Amino acid sequence: MSRRSTTRTGRPRNPTADAAILQATRAALVDLGWSKLTLGDVALRAGVAKTTLYRRWAGKNELVVDAVAVLFDELELPDRGNLEADVEGVVRQFAALLDRPETKTALMAVVAEATRDEPLRERIRTSIVERQKRLVLQGRARAEARGELPRPATPEAAARNADLIFDVVAGAVVHRTLVSGQAVDAAWVHGLTALLLGGLGAAAGQ
């Protein structure tokens, strides 16, 4: 008679519970701020046991990064017909996302903590930055297919190009919204896009 395996693999994660926990984390950040937020408060808001959080996240830093990361996963790059429109569209989306209280509070908090926590900085890179470079790669591939941009000479050049584009766009929007506190209006979006696509000479004529 064959024997059944009695090895336990653990209870699978519940996507509904995960979503409730991440939503509760963002709400707690808005209400309490980083310093007062605790896993106990998040568990209470999400309606789960605190042990449920500890099975999924090692601590507050990791939980907050994941709570922010799912917001950035909402960003999309629909085909608007040309590269200029594609860039302007994603810049407006990104700025609107950063203007949301839960995004603003959570992102500023984790970035501040990451200045003295290298593992947290690495989690931000992998969970947010690297995941969102998909938009650059998607937009670049679409522009190449339209004949709007040349193909990079090597995979290494393509990777460097994607890093630079992401840094320029993300850095500019984050600085404008969270540091300067100024509006990302149509004129600013158009100027940033002109600078990115045409270089300093083109932007100077805007």
Side-chain angles (χ1 to χ4, degrees):
M1 183 181 293
S2 63
R3 297 176 59 188
R4 285 186 185 174
S5 170
T6 58
T7 302
R8 296 183 64 182
T9 58
R11 182 180 299 175
R13 289 180 62 156
N14 182 339
T16 301
D18 284 0
I21 291 167
L22 297 177
Q23 172 61 37
T25 302
R26 294 190 293 269
L29 275 168
V30 173
D31 293 344
L32 304 175
W34 176 274
S35 62
K36 294 182 180 179
L37 183 144
T38 67
L39 294 189
D41 181 78
V42 171
L44 182 63
R45 289 169 181 256
V48 301
K50 191 158 64 171
T51 53
T52 301
L53 272 68
Y54 282 112
R55 283 198 299 267
R56 290 162 164 77
W57 293 277
K60 180 167 75 172
N61 290 353
E62 292 80 4
L63 174 60
V64 173
V65 171
D66 285 2
V68 177
V70 297
L71 295 178
F72 284 94
D73 287 341
E74 296 175 10
L75 294 172
E76 296 178 346
L77 189 64
D79 190 342
R80 293 179 169 86
N82 59 71
L83 181 57
E84 180 180 11
D86 285 354
V87 173
E88 291 192 358
V90 79
V91 168
R92 286 194 296 268
Q93 274 192 74
F94 186 33
L97 177 61
L98 291 180
D99 198 44
R100 288 162 56 174
E102 65 270 31
T103 312
K104 186 182 304 184
T105 303
L107 185 61
M108 294 291 276
V110 295
V111 168
E113 288 295 312
T115 60
R116 51 183 177 270
D117 187 335
E118 178 55 35
L120 177 59
R121 191 178 301 129
E122 178 59 27
R123 191 175 183 93
I124 293 171
R125 280 195 293 263
T126 57
S127 298
I128 299 177
V129 175
E130 293 302 324
R131 273 177 20 196
Q132 295 316 313
K133 284 181 183 176
R134 64 185 171 83
L135 297 172
V136 175
L137 298 175
Q138 180 184 351
R140 171 114 205 165
R142 187 183 293 158
E144 290 171 2
R146 293 186 190 122
E148 295 173 297
L149 290 175
R151 297 185 185 277
T154 65
E156 293 76 15
R160 288 194 301 271
N161 183 270
D163 287 346
L164 184 58
I165 293 172
F166 183 88
D167 289 347
V168 169
V169 174
V173 178
V174 168
H175 188 277
R176 179 79 175 182
T177 56
L178 301 185
V179 180
S180 297
Q182 296 179 283
V184 177
D185 55 21
W188 187 87
V189 172
H190 184 67
L192 175 64
T193 303
L195 179 63
L196 182 64
L197 300 187
L200 293 173
Q206 295 298 316

